[in-house]
Amino acid sequence: MKIKIFAPSYKRPEKSITQITYPFVKLIVRESEADEYRKNGNDIIVCPDSAQGNLCRVRNWILDNLYEDADCIIILDDDCKSIGRWHNQNDITFSENELIEFCESSSILCRELGYKFWGLNCVTDKGAYREYTPFGFLQYIGGPFQAHLKESTIRYDENLPLKEDYDITLQHIKKNDGCLRINYAHYNVKQAEQTGGCSNIRNLKKEKQQFFALQKKWGKDIVKRDKGSKRSFDFNPIIKVPIKGI
């Protein structure tokens, strides 16, 4: 099982946090920013300017152009501090080799289960890891770490650049009856803490528009508002999949 890991990056030419921890990860940057990224020591692959500016579009470009001899492509955020797992009450960060081995074995497991998409727990806190359910098959898989097996034909909906992770999770569950989430492992990213990337378009008005667009696509019985949230409008939806399972 051959794995390739890429991290799209947009208007963040400083040295990538992800590449500091995992230097083998290639950044995907648009041609007009390539020289600035290289000056800061980033290892990059250049995509057309037309592929950037929309998170879904650049992710689709990666899936359509960069598999080559790989069996699985993993798309990672460019501000990932670490990827780790819980073991004996300790939060252990994967080394480069450990991450590659983990991704290979997880991709094999995903394929053997009949799925084509896998990811990690979106919460780093130990309380989010339920020891008796180390795997989930109907759970949300967050955008900071998403793994696509080569045989998958599913692509990101370019009309949902701020809710692409919810949408692609639902697409896989609908088509393949599930996806694999590995609950004992997690990512640690600096979401909403940096300029560039999706922060350029992320605001309450846009988040509301994206929430209702996602809800219109999948229905109010599947995409629900979190009415228990302390926010006046929590734009992170609750997903209720109408299939029995975990």
Side-chain angles (χ1 to χ4, degrees), residues 66-228:
L66 299 182
Y67 270 106
E68 297 175 338
D69 60 341
D71 301 294
C72 178
I73 279 180
I74 294 171
I75 299 178
L76 186 62
D77 273 9
D78 67 346
D79 55 357
C80 180
K81 299 176 185 178
S82 63
I83 297 167
R85 60 167 295 176
W86 287 101
H87 182 67
N88 292 335
Q89 304 301 315
N90 296 311
D91 187 1
I92 300 170
T93 296
F94 288 130
S95 67
E96 287 186 70
N97 289 336
E98 288 170 339
L99 177 59
I100 292 171
E101 290 177 7
F102 168 76
C103 291
E104 289 174 347
S105 62
S106 298
S107 297
I108 292 169
L109 176 61
C110 181
R111 177 176 285 168
E112 290 181 345
L113 287 167
Y115 303 135
K116 297 176 174 63
F117 181 61
W118 68 271
L120 309 179
N121 201 324
C122 55
V123 181
T124 59
D125 191 280
K126 177 64 170 62
Y129 169 36
R130 296 167 294 173
E131 282 85 346
Y132 296 103
T133 53
F135 305 112
F137 308 113
L138 300 173
Q139 293 179 301
Y140 158 76
I141 292 177
F145 185 110
Q146 295 186 327
H148 305 258
L149 299 190
K150 190 173 187 175
E151 52 266 34
S152 174
T153 58
I154 291 175
R155 294 295 184 263
Y156 293 92
D157 185 340
E158 295 183 16
N159 294 313
L160 294 167
L162 298 183
K163 294 290 176 278
E164 85 295 339
D165 41 7
Y166 294 95
D167 178 73
I168 202 164
T169 298
L170 288 169
Q171 285 192 65
H172 276 275
I173 292 172
K174 180 182 179 182
K175 185 171 183 178
N176 301 311
D177 296 324
C179 48
L180 172 62
R181 193 172 93 170
I182 299 176
N183 284 324
Y184 65 79
H186 52 265
Y187 48 78
N188 184 1
V189 300
K190 295 180 66 176
Q191 286 183 297
E193 293 182 27
Q194 298 191 101
T195 59
C198 286
S199 64
N200 280 10
I201 63 169
R202 196 182 292 276
N203 55 56
L204 183 58
K205 181 179 179 181
K206 186 65 176 179
E207 290 281 7
K208 281 186 175 182
Q209 182 273 322
Q210 288 282 282
F211 174 92
F212 288 119
L214 180 72
Q215 191 177 64
K216 183 178 180 180
K217 179 176 180 178
W218 293 101
K220 292 183 179 180
D221 290 336
I222 293 176
V223 178
K224 298 176 178 288
R225 282 184 60 183
D226 184 358
K227 295 183 179 180

Side-chain angles (χ1 to χ4, degrees), residues 224-239:
K224 298 176 178 288
R225 282 184 60 183
D226 184 358
K227 295 183 179 180
S229 174
K230 294 180 180 179
R231 297 178 181 177
S232 59
F233 187 96
D234 194 329
F235 45 76
N236 292 316
I238 296 174
I239 302 297

Side-chain angles (χ1 to χ4, degrees), residues 15-70:
K15 181 62 180 176
S16 165
I17 294 170
T18 299
Q19 283 192 347
I20 291 171
T21 308
Y22 301 113
F24 64 90
V25 176
K26 300 277 190 181
L27 295 190
I28 308 300
V29 305
R30 60 179 180 167
E31 188 174 3
S32 59
E33 291 188 292
D35 288 343
E36 197 170 358
Y37 272 83
R38 290 191 185 101
K39 285 177 184 177
N40 291 319
N42 292 297
D43 187 6
I44 69 171
I45 291 175
V46 177
C47 71
D49 278 26
S50 59
Q52 270 286 18
N54 178 306
L55 179 64
C56 297
R57 188 161 62 240
V58 70
R59 288 181 174 223
N60 287 338
W61 184 88
I62 292 169
L63 296 175
D64 290 338
N65 292 278
L66 299 182
Y67 270 106
E68 297 175 338
D69 60 341

